[in-house]
Amino acid sequence: MQVNSNNFVSLAEIAIHNPELQDAVSDGTRRAYDKRANSMFADSNEQGEAMRHQAFEAKRRALRNLPDLLEKAESNLLSNGFKVLWAVDADEANRQVQAILKDHEASTVIKSKSMLTEEIGLNHILEDSDIRVVETDLGEYIIQLNNEPPSHIVAPVIHKTKAEIRDIFIREINMEYTDDAGEMVAYARKMLRRDFLNADVGISGGNFIIAETGSLGLVMNEGNGRMCTTMPNVHIALVGIEKVIENLEDYATLDQVLTRSGTGQNLTVYTNIINGPSRESEVDGPDEVYVIFVDNGRSEVYGTKYTEALSCIRCGACQNACPVYRSVGGHAYGWVYGGPIGAVLTPLYTGLENATPLPHASSLCGSCKQVCPVDIDLPRMLLDLRYDLVHEKVDNKWQLGLRGWAMGMQSPLLYGMGAKAARMGQKLMGDNMPGVLGNWTEYRDFPDFAPKSFHEMWQDRQKGKLQ
Ligand code: SF4
């Protein structure tokens, strides 16, 4: 997916002035935030915090042993009959998927929700080579019909109201007018059923790869995921290399915090552990299952001060808690991942120079860290990214500004001249400040400068003008 994160400010401005988006995002995030708190701490605060701590340990242990775990996972996946491929970047991953589809003469692909495939832009690549790609998660289906990317990790269509979704269905798939959400869902299900029956290949992401058993863990609420992974003869799972964990105990732990943090459920409707293609005695299931481990920038983050970002389990809780995300939604962030985790991952995966506003898209209130089920210190990483912006000279305006400020503060003459100029400027312009200051004063009052500096008042006093 193309990166448009340097336009964060103008995209945020558009989002702020979109009343439907404001209603939908604030309502959706508030409900998800409340549901998470109720579910995570249903028994007691101690119990909820203990679960978070256990999940933190499981992911950090997995990250510490990542190279060994990946080798172990590959070996056990192969023993279970999976085919395992490795992709260093988006291009390679897309080429591998294309090659598999070509081998199987596939023309229609059904997909369950996967942020990684959004990250590598798989749908567009496949569509350009005349493959029909059908998103089957309801939220993804809606945004695919409307030709837009997801705006939330867990709830891709959180930015749309029910009325907007109704209009998309009427326009794109000829649904008869209804305001009943159940009828809309039933209509979408009817449309998708044909594709489930006719697809050649199913594509999914993967929530976890369990190294010890060589299994793929997938959690979901809609039956579409199970259809995608069992009905076509071929299933391809694209998984980030950071998704590998040690064992089934860790899967149980992480699954519990993922579902509670993501959707406020103790468990999602479907919890899958896929152990390879169908066995001889089994009548259902695909003949071939591929796991493609995708790096795409992750190994460059591994071993740096940002390593802990790789323990993200994509629950979306930090998005629901973030006052910035709640105001502007996900599209303003200009890439796949919005909210605090997006403000960290986008510069890390796509280059700091491609996402210079994102480390500043935070009030640093700390809510994201507080709700994160694996306790990722997002505010600390946002501060580190701001530091990198200045010290790696990616964002020169801060450096130039601070240098000018330092010069002014060290020279009484410059300081006095600057203060006079500021007072005069304010008198002339009033509240209509130019440039960056204008962005600030558009929504806030700029405090008035004192009419005279302390030095001037002191001199007046010496001359007897002031008592
Ligand atoms: S950073 Fe934490 S809260 Fe945010 S999506 Fe990842 S796991 Fe969830």
Side-chain angles (χ1 to χ4, degrees):
M1 183 178 163
Q2 210 178 356
V3 190
N4 196 17
S5 302
N6 279 340
N7 290 324
F8 174 79
V9 173
S10 47
L11 293 171
E13 185 108 25
I14 294 168
I16 285 168
H17 291 105
N18 178 338
E20 282 85 16
L21 182 144
Q22 290 295 309
D23 279 354
V25 173
S26 78
D27 189 43
T29 50
R30 185 179 36 75
R31 273 192 286 129
Y33 183 83
D34 292 346
K35 278 164 80 178
R36 172 211 162 259
N38 292 338
S39 162
M40 200 75 195
F41 304 108
D43 294 326
S44 67
N45 278 355
E46 291 73 28
Q47 169 81 5
E49 286 305 331
M51 251 192 298
R52 281 183 76 219
H53 184 69
Q54 212 175 332
F56 166 89
E57 288 292 336
K59 269 309 265 187
R60 297 307 192 280
R61 193 168 4 93
L63 269 188
R64 275 196 302 278
N65 302 326
L66 186 60
D68 290 343
L69 278 186
L70 282 168
E71 282 187 18
K72 188 172 175 182
E74 179 182 37
S75 156
N76 288 335
L77 286 164
L78 289 171
S79 306
N80 282 342
F82 285 94
K83 297 184 175 176
V84 179
L85 300 169
W86 299 86
V88 76
D89 56 19
D91 284 347
E92 190 172 11
N94 288 326
R95 278 201 304 277
Q96 286 169 344
V97 175
Q98 283 177 301
I100 298 167
L101 299 188
K102 195 168 172 210
D103 280 355
H104 293 86
E105 296 176 355
S107 59
T108 301
V109 162
I110 47 173
K111 279 187 72 213
S112 73
K113 197 169 114 29
S114 153
M115 293 304 283
L116 179 58
T117 58
E118 297 287 344
E119 185 185 317
I120 62 174
L122 179 67
N123 286 15
H124 293 302
I125 298 283
L126 296 185
E127 281 159 0
D128 285 349
S129 47
D130 288 334
I131 303 283
R132 185 162 168 268
V133 183
V134 184
E135 292 287 353
T136 62
D137 170 272
L138 183 61
E140 292 280 345
Y141 179 61
I142 294 164
I143 55 170
Q144 187 186 33
L145 290 175
N146 207 37
N147 197 21
E148 52 182 340
S151 69
H152 187 280
I153 293 175
V154 172
V157 73
I158 197 169
H159 59 293
K160 290 266 182 265
T161 59
K162 189 175 81 174
E164 288 178 302
I165 293 168
R166 175 202 62 208
D167 293 344
I168 293 170
F169 278 5
I170 291 173
R171 191 183 69 232
E172 298 295 330
I173 49 174
N174 301 321
M175 185 186 74
E176 280 184 21
Y177 185 95
T178 175
D179 267 331
D180 185 285
E183 286 178 20
M184 292 185 212
V185 173
Y187 189 76
R189 184 187 292 134
K190 199 171 102 190
M191 300 302 286
L192 285 168
R193 188 126 318 225
R194 286 188 313 234
D195 294 313
F196 285 129
L197 292 170
N198 297 326
D200 305 302
V201 170
I203 294 182
S204 74
N207 294 96
F208 302 101
I209 291 284
I210 304 145
E212 191 179 71
T213 55
S215 320
L216 168 69
L218 277 169
V219 297
M220 50 194 65
N221 270 324
E222 297 172 26
N224 72 308
R226 208 161 265 186
M227 304 273 228
C228 288
T229 56
T230 56
M231 290 194 71
N233 260 343
V234 181
H235 168 207
I236 306 170
L238 290 113
V239 188
I241 56 169
E242 83 284 17
K243 291 292 183 77
V244 67
I245 55 172
E246 268 184 20
N247 50 39
L248 283 171
E249 284 77 18
D250 288 346
Y251 181 48
T253 301
L254 290 162
D255 197 6
Q256 286 189 64
V257 293
L258 171 60
T259 55
R260 284 165 204 251
S261 305
T263 53
Q265 295 165 285
N266 292 356
L267 213 55
T268 42
V269 179
Y270 298 92
T271 302
N272 304 283
I273 300 175
I274 296 173
N275 288 313
S278 65
R279 309 286 188 257
E280 269 181 26
S281 57
E282 294 169 345
V283 284
D284 295 321
D287 294 333
E288 290 180 36
V289 184
Y290 293 82
V291 169
I292 304 182
F293 281 111
V294 182
D295 184 328
N296 206 31
R298 287 153 175 79
S299 55
E300 280 176 34
V301 175
Y302 190 67
T304 69
K305 59 186 171 183
Y306 301 110
T307 304
E308 65 174 309
L310 298 174
S311 44
C312 173
I313 55 172
R314 306 283 191 269
C315 71
C318 58
Q319 300 183 314
N320 302 328
C322 175
V324 177
Y325 179 92
R326 288 166 90 143
S327 303
V328 302
H331 289 163
Y333 291 79
W335 201 50
V336 188
Y337 307 107
I341 187 63
V344 169
L345 288 183
T346 308
L348 294 179
Y349 287 177
T350 71
L352 199 47
E353 69 285 3
N354 295 315
T356 55
L358 294 196
H360 298 285
S362 167
S363 63
L364 299 177
C365 66
S367 291
C368 48
K369 176 172 168 17
Q370 203 175 24
V371 299
C372 178
V374 286
D375 203 20
I376 299 176
D377 197 347
L378 292 157
R380 193 271 301 163
M381 285 189 282
L382 288 166
L383 279 172
D384 276 344
L385 284 165
R386 292 181 191 185
Y387 176 91
D388 291 349
L389 277 171
V390 174
H391 284 265
E392 289 173 20
K393 299 191 172 65
V394 178
D395 194 359
N396 277 335
K397 72 175 182 293
W398 293 98
Q399 207 165 34
L400 287 173
L402 285 172
R403 210 173 274 160
W405 179 81
M407 267 170 65
M409 295 305 280
Q410 284 168 18
S411 156
L413 178 68
L414 285 178
Y415 182 86
M417 283 166 57
K420 264 195 189 123
R423 279 199 298 275
M424 270 173 60
Q426 191 173 40
K427 257 189 208 145
L428 288 172
M429 286 179 280
D431 282 340
N432 302 317
M433 298 280 179
V436 181
L437 286 180
N439 294 341
W440 175 263
T441 51
E442 196 175 341
Y443 301 102
R444 302 168 187 84
D445 293 329
F446 197 91
D448 286 337
F449 288 109
K452 286 186 175 183
S453 71
F454 174 76
H455 280 110
E456 287 166 338
M457 286 197 290
W458 182 255
Q459 278 160 8
D460 287 350
R461 187 188 177 111
Q462 296 302 88
K463 289 175 195 160
K465 288 187 195 165
L466 202 73
Q467 294 307 312

